[in-house]
Amino acid sequence: MTQLTDARPASDAGPALSSPAPRRPSPDGGPTDRARGWLVTLVLTALAVVTRFLNLNYPTDAGTPVFDEKHYAPQAWQVLTGGGVEDNPAYGLVVHPPVGKQMIALGEALFGYTSWGWRFAAAVFGSLLVLLVVRITRRMTRSTLLGAIAGLLLIADGLTFVSSRIGMLDIFQALFVVAAFGCLIVDRDDVRDRLARADAAGRAALSEFGPRLGVRWWRFGAGLLLGLSCGTKWSGMYFIAAFGLMSVCFDVAARRAYGVRRPWVGTAVRDVGPALAALVLVPLLVYLAAYWGWFAAEDGYDRYSVGNAIGAGGTWSWIPDALRSLWHNQAESLKFHEELTNSAGNHHPWESKPWSWPMGLRPMLYYYADSGVTGCGQAVCVKAVMLIGTPALWWVSLPMLAWAVWRTATRRDWRYAVVLVGYGAALLPWFATLDRQMYYFYAVPMAPFLVMGIALVLGDILGPAPFVRTTAGQRFLVWSERQRLNLLLVCLYLGLVVANFIWLWPILTALPITVGNWHDHLWLPSWR
């Protein structure tokens, strides 16, 4: 037996770690240990900050950006110094929306056109992503422990780690997507709380459609964030579709749980219209607002297409010229992406296809130097930055997904279902365009949902919390032998993930290593 020394209520230790949320949630929808929960969250976020910001300015190509930073760092500087617009001399047009570059520009406003400047915002977003994953997992599981496990796993993920330390767009999209997901989880709890109050007041059954729910600010916030996601990369549209369906399913389940006679029709009548406004119209308006600099500029690329590249008359002449010009600009960008295919002869030595992403079978080499490198203790040294997911995490993705599907199908466990929604929205749409050039950094939005799913599985392994016994005024935790063994297994797995991350550290951060050590890190032929 283990003596309890804290003063928390005995009920806090009682519920199963893996049990679904109660039918009638508490007002905040989460655990009651708020102070401890925030302490754990802030400690893990601080650890993320240390790892993400340590030597953030290293490496560079002789003081210049590395890999695809070469596109986004100068474009962000143009946003900062050129009236809010950017151009792209390498391609002749701007192929991504402006939000991610605007975020990079904020760092360059603080630190100038330096490696600290073009990487600062990515490191901030990468650190905040850990905070969000901790809080979201904690809310879904009603367990601070499982929230902490998810945060620790994300800290030790090489994919999000490297993406947080380079001036590219993917970490920004990942944070916007996960934040929108979190808003919808809170909205789910808020809706059930509103229905619980209506039920207690005898109003839930007054209409066969159920009560009206009023303004849902958390869902509105999700729409804002999804608009920012699309304003970073167009693949944010996949999450709009997936999360919209998820939100509607939440509403149907909530109305059914509180005895609404026609939950599907009630959701269609009461909820679908506001959901479309919040999760489709709001993102569209946010996306257009992201082009504020382009609309205001005189020299934005394609800004005056009407009357030049396209005619001023025609069927759509009633639409303002600025919007028609933007539509032409977006069509040009879409054409660029559509033509960037393997069949058209476009190949990259480090490209990958989506079937390889769940296990990280084809990482990307962002940086490599073998000339003039010293510091490894031998005559010849190398240093590299490889975008690679920690194998101890990514190689268990398929068993995690299989278990998630099983739990969703047999136990109707909504937590696994929503993890599958987020993970699927980040992965499955890419199978429709397999001829396109694709890269492993497209998988960055998958990582938060991967660690949430693994945390849920580890919660199932841990099982119910220990039994609480009170003797002579003192409370004790009583652990069964099976519970001790399960706890040991979970701790060993977490230790394995952290050890694997530490092993990868030299090739994630460009530390000088020997040629032999470099080859020792390349475990699979597809990593070379």
Side-chain angles (χ1 to χ4, degrees), residues 225-522:
L225 290 159
L226 288 171
L228 292 172
S229 173
C230 291
T232 303
K233 279 191 166 185
W234 284 354
S235 52
M237 291 186 291
Y238 305 145
F239 294 94
I240 290 179
F243 289 176
L245 291 174
M246 182 181 76
S247 180
V248 170
C249 290
F250 281 165
D251 293 342
V252 172
R255 290 185 181 276
R256 178 180 290 166
Y258 283 92
V260 174
R261 293 191 296 278
R262 302 180 68 185
W264 283 97
V265 178
T267 298
V269 172
R270 305 284 200 214
D271 303 319
V272 170
L276 289 173
L279 299 178
V280 177
L281 180 59
V282 169
L284 175 60
L285 295 176
V286 171
Y287 182 84
L288 292 176
Y291 280 88
W292 61 268
W294 186 89
F295 283 118
E298 292 293 328
D299 57 348
Y301 189 87
D302 279 338
R303 175 61 182 84
Y304 292 98
S305 295
V306 176
N308 293 297
I310 58 177
T315 305
W316 306 106
S317 59
W318 57 275
I319 297 177
D321 287 354
L323 291 178
R324 293 183 66 196
S325 294
L326 181 62
W327 182 264
H328 172 73
N329 171 265
Q330 305 293 279
E332 290 291 301
S333 297
L334 178 61
K335 181 180 178 181
F336 167 82
H337 288 293
E338 288 178 338
E339 294 178 348
L340 197 65
T341 60
N342 298 144
S343 60
N346 296 294
H347 296 280
H348 190 282
W350 288 98
E351 68 180 297
S352 62
K353 298 301 181 183
W355 57 71
S356 71
W357 299 345
M359 294 184 64
L361 298 180
R362 184 58 174 167
M364 290 199 72
L365 187 63
Y366 276 2
Y367 174 86
Y368 181 84
D370 57 5
S371 176
V373 180
T374 60
C376 69
Q378 292 190 10
V380 179
C381 304
V382 301
K383 56 183 180 180
V385 174
M386 178 169 276
L387 182 76
I388 185 169
T390 303
L393 275 174
W394 289 79
W395 288 3
V396 301
S397 62
L398 298 183
M400 182 278 290
L401 292 172
W403 182 248
V405 171
W406 173 257
R407 290 283 296 189
T408 301
T410 62
R411 299 294 182 89
R412 301 295 191 271
D413 193 326
W414 69 271
R415 304 163 307 161
Y416 281 104
V418 298
V419 166
L420 288 173
V421 168
Y423 190 94
L427 173 65
L428 296 180
W430 297 104
F431 283 91
T433 56
L434 288 176
D435 191 34
R436 265 202 57 185
Q437 270 192 2
M438 299 182 194
Y439 308 98
Y440 186 43
F441 54 74
Y442 291 5
V444 173
M446 293 167 54
F449 298 103
L450 170 67
V451 301
M452 290 181 202
I454 293 175
L456 290 175
V457 174
L458 295 179
D460 287 341
I461 293 173
L462 287 172
F467 175 71
V468 179
R469 176 180 296 171
T470 302
T471 304
Q474 293 183 318
R475 295 181 301 134
F476 297 87
L477 291 179
V478 181
W479 296 76
S480 69
E481 189 65 25
R482 181 175 180 178
Q483 286 174 319
R484 293 179 185 274
L485 177 60
N486 291 345
L487 179 61
L488 175 62
L489 291 175
V490 170
C491 291
L492 288 175
Y493 175 71
L494 295 177
L496 175 64
V497 172
V498 173
N500 195 185
F501 178 65
I502 293 173
W503 163 255
L504 292 173
W505 184 273
I507 67 169
L508 301 176
T509 58
L511 291 183
I513 55 177
T514 64
V515 175
N517 197 355
W518 164 242
H519 288 291
D520 288 342
H521 280 84
L522 305 179

Side-chain angles (χ1 to χ4, degrees), residues 139-186:
R139 177 173 283 269
M140 289 196 302
T141 61
R142 308 323 195 229
S143 169
T144 297
L145 173 61
L146 295 187
I149 287 175
L152 181 62
L153 293 177
L154 191 64
I155 290 172
D157 171 43
L159 178 68
T160 50
F161 173 78
V162 173
S163 299
S164 302
R165 294 170 54 85
I166 193 165
M168 292 172 59
L169 305 181
D170 305 277
I171 196 67
F172 304 116
Q173 184 183 48
L175 182 128
F176 292 137
V177 163
V178 171
F181 177 82
C183 284
L184 292 176
I185 298 300
V186 179

